[in-house]
Amino acid sequence: MRESIIMKIHYGTALGAVVLVAVHVLFRITMMSYGDSLQYENVIANYKFVPYAIMLELILVLLSVHGFNGLRVILIELKQGKSYEKAVTYGCLAAMAILIAYGSRTILLTSMGMT
Amino acid sequence: MANTQIAEEQSSSEVSSKTVTLKIAKFNPEHDSGTQFVDFKVQYERWTTVLDAILDVKEHLDHSVAVRYSCRQASCGSCGMKINGRPRLACFTKISELDSDVITVEPMNNYPIVRDLVVDLEGMFDTHKKMKPFIINEDSEITNTKEFLQTPEQIEEYIQFANCIKCGLCNSACPTMATDSSFLGPQALTQAYRYVADNRDKGKNERLKIIDESHGIWRCHFAGSCSQVCPKGVDPAMGIQLLRGYLLGFRK
Ligand code: HEM
Ligand code: SF4
Ligand code: FES
């Protein structure tokens, strides 16, 4: 993939995350007091509200893509070499996939009430 | 009146009053294990440059000091070195402006050292050439006996970036260059912009392709050190951001 496409995704995911994290935080402080919103039942209820669960999933994907691409950038600037850079790229992609899969599993199970 | 003033200046130059300690980094990679600093006391005037002082040492105190220079007027780009910790042109830096009793001169960072103050700029020239630093256009001024006329506005687009003398100070100040040996660097990226922004040039797509790779333009993180040290007012950091505009679709 062209580096410009990757970096457009990098900047796009950052912008998207700012918007969605703002919505997420506003939900926490406008619905009820912040402390109450972190009570077990209320957190579970959030996951069961499908649009909200979809938003959490989006935040997960956006920040995983952004964070692991950022890590890739740091690592290829730190050291160079064909096989090293290949390992960094695929390592970051794999770690990204694993994190998204694990996070999605939590969101999915909780929203379906399997806790 | 004017005559007496000149006479006074001449007489004061005969009794040089000020001295400074010049600390020169000595290192020969062929047989030294590390850099050694050697101190020299040199006399200076208000107008003495660091290069003058180094040449003074070379002439009278230590002939072996290795230094590269040519024009002595900030035009050839040969005399870049680290002076009191900052990359500068030795011929364009006066001792009096440094405001210090000790002047430390070292080779520039981010380049292999040839000897003492001389670094190998070959890597920078290579990335510079990679940018195709010439006008790409099938029409030729030579074969068609036709001039490429430009308006003052069209020249304004790139002329500042054409002032680069390839001294390499920007690349030595760049934090990405310090760890990323494959990074194209501010010098080359700015020259890519210089040609892309020239309305006579038709090589935009070729050049954008060259800079849009994993160690290309995206490895600039807006530190801006390059523009701080550039002796010609080129502002490479600005050139890089303008160039990025083409890839992000802000510029055509
Ligand atoms: C939502 C707010 C965020 C915004 C607006 C944002 C924006 C950015 C931008 C613009 C860059 C590129 C910087 C450059 O090229 O110099 C970047 C890099 C990076 N981001 Fe984020 N980011 C955000 C959140 C995060 C989070 C939560 C993480 C961790 C998971 C993260 C990890 C990174 C990493 C590792 C880099 C690479 C470091 C670098 O290039 O300097 N970012 N971010
Ligand atoms: S941009 Fe400035 S600092 Fe960099 S090589 Fe050109 S003249 Fe020197
Ligand atoms: S000697 Fe030419 S730039 Fe300094």
Side-chain angles (χ1 to χ4, degrees):
Chain A
M1 211 190 287
R2 287 230 78 88
E3 194 71 11
S4 54
I5 298 178
I6 301 176
M7 293 312 285
K8 277 177 196 168
I9 294 172
H10 194 78
Y11 300 150
T13 49
L15 278 177
V18 169
V19 174
L20 291 186
V21 171
V23 172
H24 169 64
V25 171
L26 283 173
F27 258 76
R28 298 281 61 71
I29 57 181
T30 53
M31 308 289 279
M32 55 189 84
S33 83
Y34 182 69
D36 285 345
S37 83
L38 294 181
Q39 290 297 312
Y40 183 76
E41 305 77 40
N42 293 330
V43 172
I44 296 293
N46 272 325
Y47 276 92
K48 293 193 171 156
F49 179 44
V50 174
Y52 197 84
I54 290 173
M55 190 189 74
L56 289 180
E57 176 72 23
L58 274 175
I59 293 178
L60 170 70
V61 173
L62 292 180
L63 284 182
S64 303
V65 170
H66 180 90
F68 280 108
N69 182 53
L71 183 64
R72 177 193 68 96
V73 168
I74 293 173
L75 292 176
I76 63 166
E77 281 180 13
L78 220 53
K79 195 164 125 50
Q80 293 77 45
K82 241 190 157 88
S83 51
Y84 167 78
E85 289 177 32
K86 217 170 177 163
V88 165
T89 303
Y90 290 109
C92 285
L93 273 173
M96 184 193 303
I98 291 168
L99 185 70
I100 292 177
Y102 180 70
S104 303
R105 174 185 162 275
T106 306
I107 294 173
L108 204 68
L109 288 184
T110 316
S111 63
M112 294 194 313
M114 295 155 110
T115 43
Chain B
M1 283 295 276
N3 280 347
T4 53
Q5 273 179 351
I6 288 168
E8 270 170 33
E9 272 199 4
Q10 276 175 343
S11 66
S12 74
S13 75
E14 277 160 23
V15 275
S16 181
S17 48
K18 284 175 273 185
T19 56
V20 70
T21 302
L22 189 63
K23 249 184 180 351
I24 301 183
K26 301 269 290 169
F27 175 60
N28 183 344
E30 275 177 21
H31 47 73
D32 296 348
S33 55
T35 301
Q36 268 204 322
F37 285 91
V38 187
D39 290 7
F40 301 95
K41 287 250 181 281
V42 288
Q43 294 198 322
Y44 72 99
E45 301 294 343
R46 194 159 40 82
W47 53 82
T48 308
T49 65
V50 173
L51 181 63
D52 292 334
I54 296 168
L55 294 179
D56 195 16
V57 168
K58 216 172 145 55
E59 195 174 344
H60 301 293
L61 302 170
D62 179 353
H63 309 316
S64 78
V65 172
V67 59
R68 178 175 51 212
Y69 67 100
S70 177
C71 68
R72 304 178 185 230
Q73 53 172 9
S75 298
C76 72
S78 305
C79 68
M81 62 184 70
K82 217 160 62 176
I83 301 173
N84 282 1
R86 189 188 165 102
R88 304 175 198 254
L89 295 179
C91 73
F92 199 49
T93 306
K94 281 181 294 188
I95 289 177
S96 53
E97 84 190 61
L98 292 169
D99 218 10
S100 166
D101 296 331
V102 183
I103 311 287
T104 307
V105 289
E106 299 163 83
M108 285 193 284
N109 290 345
N110 304 348
Y111 296 98
I113 297 173
V114 177
R115 190 152 70 82
D116 300 348
L117 304 171
V118 182
V119 294
D120 183 359
L121 296 174
E122 219 42 59
M124 177 182 68
F125 298 145
D126 286 346
T127 50
H128 176 73
K129 284 179 199 150
K130 225 172 145 183
M131 299 303 111
K132 301 181 188 280
F134 40 81
I135 301 284
I136 299 174
N137 194 329
E138 279 184 13
D139 274 342
S140 158
E141 284 183 313
I142 300 161
T143 53
N144 294 358
T145 53
K146 168 191 149 208
E147 271 184 285
F148 291 143
L149 295 179
Q150 289 188 298
T151 65
E153 290 75 27
Q154 286 167 335
I155 291 174
E156 212 46 53
E157 287 291 314
Y158 68 85
I159 194 68
Q160 168 187 345
F161 305 99
N163 286 336
C164 173
I165 57 171
K166 290 92 195 165
C167 62
L169 299 192
C170 51
N171 283 12
S172 89
C174 171
T176 303
M177 288 303 278
T179 58
D180 188 343
S181 55
S182 312
F183 181 43
L184 293 172
Q187 191 280 330
L189 290 169
T190 303
Q191 290 315 295
Y193 178 74
R194 178 256 171 272
Y195 288 95
V196 168
D198 190 322
N199 71 305
R200 299 167 295 182
D201 181 79
K202 301 275 178 277
K204 184 179 93 178
N205 293 339
E206 278 175 56
R207 292 198 192 85
L208 291 186
K209 216 164 151 183
I210 299 168
I211 59 161
D212 188 8
E213 44 113 350
S214 62
H215 293 283
I217 188 166
W218 305 99
R219 299 292 79 85
C220 163
H221 302 284
F222 332 106
S225 332
C226 48
S227 299
Q228 291 252 320
V229 301
C230 176
K232 303 301 284 185
V234 169
D235 198 354
M238 169 79 107
I240 295 173
Q241 295 324 311
L242 292 171
L243 190 57
R244 210 186 290 247
Y246 289 101
L247 292 166
L248 291 173
F250 298 125
R251 302 181 127 242
K252 281 271 174 318

